[in-house]
Amino acid sequence: ASNTITISNFSRGVRLLFGDLVITSNNGNQVVQRLQAMAEDADATGKLKLTALRKVMLEHTYRQRLNYICAKVKGISTPTDTLPSITVLAKATSQLEAKQITEQFKAQTHKHKHLILVMPAKNKDTDNQQITYLTNKQSKSKTIKDVIENATWIASMSPKDYYGSNYLLDIAIASQYSVADLIGKAAFFQTKGT
């Protein structure tokens, strides 16, 4: 999990486990061509490395292997998801901002999530159990501790920003391998002209 490009001779097992995330070939020219293409596109290479790192941290660590072995020895099913819950705190100043935040929240791949959305007026959309709407007035009488319930981590979302679908998942993964009190992302993209 060093987040480096991995190159290997062709192996069906590696190919099945990692697909195109690992460069596998018995042909040196193919490897060189792929590496040259990666050198020419730093953004695509960064995305590939992040996708590979995410896969390794979710599926191929000693923790997962040991859990698998213990489950087989005990005759029980392997625990599949041991990632922490994350409560997202967000504030919207309009219905449009509320829609932007809820759409990005719903697009998140992390399963154990909850959104606390503070907005000027009461929201009639209360069907989603993962979203709690509070009016500005309601939020003034509550502390963060009152609204986060049993969340292990707290994150924020702003209607002015874009969050990739793995934003919360990456925070949850990082929390498993860090003793930090805060986790953030160092990289971001910015559109030109804004």
Side-chain angles (χ1 to χ4, degrees):
S2 62
N3 204 24
T4 58
I5 300 297
T6 304
I7 303 167
S8 173
N9 61 317
F10 180 80
S11 163
R12 185 166 188 234
V14 170
R15 198 78 171 140
L16 287 171
L17 284 173
F18 297 103
D20 288 335
L21 299 175
V22 173
I23 299 172
T24 58
S25 178
N26 289 331
N27 182 324
N29 290 332
Q30 286 179 341
V31 171
V32 169
Q33 286 174 350
R34 182 120 185 248
L35 288 173
Q36 285 174 335
M38 294 173 88
E40 293 171 6
D41 191 348
D43 287 342
T45 301
K47 289 177 184 178
L48 174 83
K49 289 171 59 177
L50 180 58
T51 302
L53 179 63
R54 188 178 295 124
K55 182 167 182 69
V56 167
M57 300 309 275
L58 279 173
E59 301 173 15
H60 300 285
T61 65
Y62 286 120
R63 175 184 288 168
Q64 283 93 16
R65 291 176 185 159
L66 187 58
N67 282 342
Y68 177 80
I69 290 168
C70 289
K72 291 301 175 190
V73 168
K74 291 180 178 179
I76 59 174
S77 63
T78 308
T80 56
D81 190 359
T82 58
L83 295 175
S85 62
I86 299 176
T87 294
V88 176
L89 302 176
K91 183 172 183 171
T93 58
S94 67
Q95 287 296 330
L96 177 62
E97 285 186 357
K99 182 180 179 199
Q100 291 169 329
I101 291 169
T102 55
E103 285 177 359
Q104 290 200 73
F105 174 79
K106 288 175 182 177
Q108 295 297 307
T109 58
H110 185 52
K111 294 175 188 146
H112 307 295
K113 61 186 178 185
H114 188 89
L115 171 64
I116 308 294
L117 181 56
V118 178
M119 47 194 302
K122 195 165 184 93
N123 192 309
K124 296 178 177 100
D125 175 25
T126 57
D127 293 340
N128 192 326
Q129 298 297 311
Q130 291 183 312
I131 302 175
T132 301
Y133 296 96
L134 296 175
T135 63
N136 287 334
K137 185 177 179 182
Q138 289 171 319
S139 72
K140 288 180 181 178
S141 65
K142 298 191 181 290
T143 66
I144 290 176
K145 188 176 180 181
D146 292 337
V147 296
I148 63 168
E149 297 176 3
N150 58 355
T152 310
W153 287 88
I154 301 171
S156 66
M157 283 187 169
S158 168
K160 296 175 184 169
D161 294 328
Y162 169 78
Y163 300 89
S165 61
N166 292 307
Y167 168 68
L168 296 179
L169 180 61
D170 289 344
I171 292 171
I173 293 169
S175 76
Q176 303 297 286
Y177 302 98
S178 173
V179 294
D181 292 329
L182 297 170
I183 297 173
K185 288 205 160 197
F188 63 90
F189 290 95
Q190 186 171 351
T191 58
K192 291 182 180 179
T194 58

